[in-house]
Amino acid sequence: MASSLPAKKILVVDDNQIILNVLSSALKSGGYEVFAAVDGPAAFTVVLQEQPDLILLDIFFPPDIFQSGNTWDGFLIMRWLQCMGGPRANRTPVFVISGLNRGNSGSLSGRRRSELLPKTGQDTELLDAIQQILARV
């Protein structure tokens, strides 16, 4: 008998459309419902409307020259989620996806429910890590 549970929702936030497409494809093939955002404001909209179960978040974003000129980085997005996203968003686990290696992740220590996953292109590593974190929530 097939499971009637809804698919877990995952929000992928990255300024690189290729990364968004690759991750979205891998996650959809893993049975997840996937939403994509290219910056902080788009991510907040998805969080408020869809209430994802997990957020995959890049750390480094280019300056927003078309809007305020501010730089939205992953740390600022996490702070905004804590302050503005409501109780559900504040409890949503965040996987930081970055070109950083785990040895350079010192600035992530002390962040809320955040873990670092390098952008390695290893779909199985990503899906395994996501399954593990979603099992804990």
Side-chain angles (χ1 to χ4, degrees):
M1 183 172 176
S3 173
S4 62
L5 295 174
K8 295 284 189 177
K9 296 179 181 181
I10 298 178
L11 168 60
V12 181
V13 187
D14 199 304
D15 61 298
N16 184 322
Q17 191 64 47
I18 294 170
I19 298 292
L20 283 176
N21 292 342
V22 168
L23 289 175
S24 294
S25 177
L27 293 167
K28 286 177 184 175
S29 71
Y32 298 102
E33 185 175 359
V34 181
F35 301 91
V38 296
D39 59 19
F44 301 129
T45 299
V46 173
V47 167
L48 293 174
Q49 291 177 353
E50 301 298 335
Q51 299 183 347
D53 299 293
L54 176 70
I55 299 170
L56 299 180
L57 177 64
D58 188 18
I59 288 294
F60 302 108
F61 290 82
D64 185 357
I65 59 173
F66 299 109
Q67 298 286 328
S68 61
N70 292 331
T71 299
W72 282 95
D73 66 14
F75 300 116
L76 181 59
I77 292 171
M78 282 192 275
R79 282 194 298 279
W80 269 80
L81 285 171
Q82 286 178 314
C83 296
M84 307 298 287
R88 169 83 165 97
N90 198 29
R91 290 188 309 270
T92 303
V94 176
F95 251 148
V96 174
I97 51 171
S98 179
L100 289 173
N101 62 40
R102 286 185 172 102
N104 292 335
S105 63
S107 56
L108 288 177
S109 60
R111 301 286 174 174
R112 69 170 183 80
R113 300 183 73 156
S114 300
E115 297 187 32
L116 178 66
L117 186 66
K119 290 181 185 177
T120 62
Q122 301 294 325
D123 291 349
T124 54
E125 179 184 356
L126 173 68
L127 293 174
D128 288 346
I130 288 170
Q131 285 178 339
Q132 289 176 13
I133 199 167
L134 287 175
R136 294 186 296 213
V137 286

